[in-house]
Amino acid sequence: MHANYIAGQWLEGDGATRDINPSDVADLVGEYAHATPAQVDLAITAARDAAHRWGLASATQRAECLDAIGVELLRRKDELGRLLAREEGKTLPEAVGETVRAAAIFRFFAGEALRVRGDRLPQARTGVDVEVTREPVGVVGLITPWNFPLAIPAWKIAPALAYGNTVVFKPADLVPGSAWALAEIISRAGLPEGVFNLVMGRGAVVGQAMLDDARIDALSFTGSVATGRQVAQAATRRLAKVQMEMGGKNPLVVLDDADLGQAVECAVQGSFFSTGQRCTASSRLIVQRGIHERFVRAMKERMAALRVDDALAPGTDIGPVVDARQLQQDEEYLRIGRDEGATLAQGGRRVARAREGYYLEPALFTDCSNDMRICREEIFGPVAAVIPVADYDEALALANDTEFGLSAGICTTSLKHATHFKRHAQAGMVMVNCPTAGVDPHAPFGGRKGSSYGPREQGTYAAEFYTTVKTAYTLA
C-alpha cells in the first residue's frame, strides 16, 4: 500500500485506488491509499504551521531542495518513465520525455528561487523611499489531472516551493503512481516538515475538503471545464486566489502554400500522439481547399502506418486510451460524428493485442463543418476533424469560432499570414509550422476564454500566481 505523505509522515488512509495498466488490464501497477477528511485537515494544518518558517527560508535553501529533486528525476528518468507509461498509457519515449521535462522544471525553478525580483521606485514625496517586493501567498492547494502525471504536478509544485509557499497536493485518482513517486523524491529533498503534503483519493472527498478550507490561500487546478467551474465557485465564495487550466478545441490551419509533409507531421503529432489525450491537441484541422485533397490522402497514409500497441513495446507510436470510461467516450464521439454526417475517413476501430487493453486506432473525420459536436466539444482522445475552407480569412474565423482558446496553429510559408495569425488567433499559445501540442518549460503556459482562468503557469510568469506584491514606504 502506497501511503499519503502528511506532516513528514507516511500515513495509510481509508480505502485505496487500484492503479491498472491500460496496456494490460491484468497488470496491477499498485494500490494507493485514499486520504480521509481528517487526514486532509491534518495536511492543511501542517502546511499552515510550516508556512511562516518556509516563507522566510533563504533562497539558497529553496534552490538546493528543488535542484536535488530535479537531479534525481533526471537520474531516474528511465525507471520513472517506465512507471508513467505503464500507468497512463503514453509510449515509453513520450513518458521518459515527460520525466525529463519534469526534471527541467524543478531545475529551472531552483534558479528562479534566487531571482525573485522587486522594484525601488523614484520618490514622489521628498524623503520617502518606495520599495516593491514579492512574498509567498501562503498555503497552496494543487489539484492535477491524469494526462501528464509528472509534468503538470512539477509545474505547480516547483514554483509553489520556489517562491516560499507550502503545498497540499492532490493528484488524479486514476493515475496516482507517478505522483506518489514524485512525492517520495520530494520527501527526501530536505524540506522542513509540513512544507509539502500529498493527499490522494477521490475529488469528491479530498478535493472538496481542499476547496472548502479557508486555510488554503490559493488553489491551482488543471482538469475539466465542469470541475473547473466548481473550483472557481468555491474559491470565489471565500475569496481565495485561483488559477485554472481547463479544456481546448484547438485548431490547426493548413493553407495552400504549406509544406505538405510538414503540415501532415504537425497534424499527426498534434492530434494523435499521447493518444490525443492533451488539452493542446489539434482536434480541428482547418484546411484550405487547394491542398485539402492532397492533405487528406497524405494523412490517411501516415495514419495507416502508425503502430497502436502496448505503451512499453518497442516501435509503438500510439499507446492505449487511459481507461474504459475514456474509451467509451471516444467511441461515443465516433458515433456522434457519423450521425452528424461526417465521413470517418481513417481509423476509429478497436484494436486487439496480445494482452487485453484499451486500444483504439486514431480516427480522422472528413466532410465536417464547424457547427458539428465533434468540432465544438472536447473529445480528449485520438480523434480529429478536417474542415475545408476557401481562404485564410475563413480559416481564421473558424479557428476563433470556439468557446476555448488554449492553443492554435498554422502551417504556411507566407510570412504575411503567419504574422497576422500570431496577432489575431484568439488563443493563449500560437504555433507556426509546429504542432499545437508541445511547449517549453521556461515559457508561460495558458489560454483564453473557456480554456484558462487566472495567471499563467510556468516560466517567470508563475510568480504572478505564487506570490503576492507588497509596497513599502519608508521616511528616510
Side-chain angles (χ1 to χ4, degrees):
M1 179 68 67
H2 296 78
N4 295 283
Y5 185 67
I6 300 170
Q9 304 292 322
W10 293 101
L11 303 177
E12 293 190 7
D14 182 15
T17 290
R18 289 171 55 82
D19 192 358
I20 302 297
N21 180 354
S23 295
D24 176 6
V25 297
D27 177 27
L28 176 65
V29 177
E31 294 185 298
Y32 295 83
H34 289 173
T36 66
Q39 288 174 330
V40 178
D41 179 81
L42 179 62
I44 298 170
T45 299
R48 175 57 65 190
D49 290 345
H52 181 70
R53 177 185 173 192
W54 182 243
L56 295 177
S58 71
T60 301
Q61 181 183 358
R62 296 179 200 161
E64 288 174 349
C65 291
L66 292 171
D67 188 63
I69 297 165
V71 167
E72 182 165 347
L73 284 168
L74 193 59
R75 178 172 56 82
R76 295 172 57 190
K77 66 181 186 300
D78 294 325
E79 169 203 348
L80 295 171
R82 187 174 182 84
L83 170 63
L84 197 162
R86 190 172 158 220
E87 74 163 350
E88 193 270 343
K90 282 186 176 70
T91 64
L92 185 57
E94 289 175 323
V96 172
E98 181 174 336
T99 307
V100 171
R101 178 179 173 186
I105 291 168
F106 273 98
R107 300 188 76 179
F108 173 84
F109 281 105
E112 285 301 283
L114 299 165
R115 293 191 290 265
V116 181
R117 296 172 177 85
D119 289 303
R120 182 167 182 173
L121 303 181
Q123 295 180 349
R125 292 172 287 170
T126 302
V128 178
D129 290 334
V130 183
E131 296 171 296
V132 182
T133 55
R134 289 190 176 273
E135 297 184 356
V137 173
V139 178
V140 179
L142 308 177
I143 302 174
T144 60
W146 52 260
N147 60 324
F148 284 89
L150 267 182
I152 293 180
W155 82 45
K156 294 181 187 292
I157 295 168
L161 296 177
Y163 296 121
N165 302 283
T166 57
V167 170
V168 180
F169 168 45
K170 182 215 169 300
D173 188 41
L174 182 61
V175 289
S178 295
W180 188 92
L182 174 59
E184 195 278 329
I185 292 171
I186 294 172
S187 75
R188 294 183 284 99
L191 299 173
E193 179 182 302
V195 169
F196 173 82
N197 303 271
L198 169 71
V199 285
M200 300 179 290
R202 305 293 185 192
V205 178
V206 177
Q208 193 62 50
M210 293 169 63
L211 297 184
D212 293 340
D213 199 309
R215 294 173 297 170
I216 292 183
D217 300 294
L219 290 158
S220 180
F221 165 84
T222 300
S224 70
V225 174
T227 304
R229 290 194 179 103
Q230 297 175 20
V231 172
Q233 290 170 359
T236 301
R237 277 197 301 270
R238 58 184 186 82
L239 301 181
K241 199 172 187 179
V242 65
Q243 172 191 67
M244 299 188 299
E245 296 296 340
M246 296 170 287
K249 197 65 184 173
N250 310 292
L252 176 67
V253 171
V254 180
L255 297 184
D256 285 346
D257 64 3
D259 179 300
L260 180 61
Q262 184 180 65
V264 168
E265 285 305 307
C266 285
V268 168
Q269 291 187 33
S271 301
F272 306 128
F273 281 24
S274 297
T275 323
Q277 296 171 156
R278 300 185 282 193
C279 55
T280 52
S282 311
S283 52
R284 293 185 298 143
L285 308 178
I286 301 172
V287 183
Q288 196 170 357
R289 294 190 189 278
I291 199 174
H292 178 273
E293 184 178 343
R294 289 182 293 134
F295 176 81
V296 170
R297 183 168 58 247
M299 282 289 292
K300 292 169 66 176
E301 292 173 359
R302 180 72 173 88
M303 291 170 65
L306 294 172
R307 174 70 178 173
V308 180
D309 207 337
D310 190 310
L312 296 174
T316 296
D317 296 304
I318 308 291
V321 175
V322 71
D323 71 349
R325 185 170 64 176
Q326 186 62 45
L327 178 59
Q328 181 181 19
Q329 178 173 302
D330 294 346
E331 292 186 310
E332 175 63 13
Y333 273 105
L334 292 173
R335 181 195 64 77
I336 290 169
R338 289 190 295 265
D339 289 349
E340 289 181 311
T343 299
L344 185 56
Q346 182 69 32
R349 294 181 295 268
R350 291 285 297 273
V351 179
R353 291 292 177 246
R355 297 179 178 84
E356 182 184 354
Y358 306 119
Y359 298 109
L360 181 68
E361 290 179 335
L364 185 71
F365 279 110
T366 57
D367 303 313
C368 300
S369 62
N370 203 52
D371 58 353
M372 292 178 173
R373 286 182 61 188
I374 58 170
C375 298
R376 307 300 298 180
E377 301 171 10
E378 186 176 41
I379 299 172
F380 219 68
V383 182
V386 180
I387 306 170
V389 293
D391 54 26
Y392 169 75
D393 290 337
E394 184 183 5
L396 177 63
L398 289 187
N400 289 334
D401 181 17
T402 173
E403 66 178 290
F404 299 107
L406 184 55
S407 184
I410 187 169
C411 291
T412 181
T413 55
S414 166
L415 178 60
K416 171 187 173 182
H417 287 139
T419 302
H420 189 274
F421 189 82
K422 285 190 289 184
R423 176 60 184 87
H424 294 278
Q426 296 171 3
M429 297 176 290
V430 177
M431 315 297 186
V432 178
N433 296 323
C434 299
T436 58
V439 295
D440 292 336
H442 67 295
F445 180 97
R448 296 165 62 169
K449 299 191 277 189
S451 290
S452 302
Y453 184 86
R456 289 289 189 262
E457 299 197 89
Q458 295 200 105
T460 58
Y461 286 77
E464 298 300 321
F465 179 72
Y466 291 102
T467 65
T468 186
V469 173
K470 177 180 283 184
T471 306
Y473 296 86
T474 303
L475 178 62

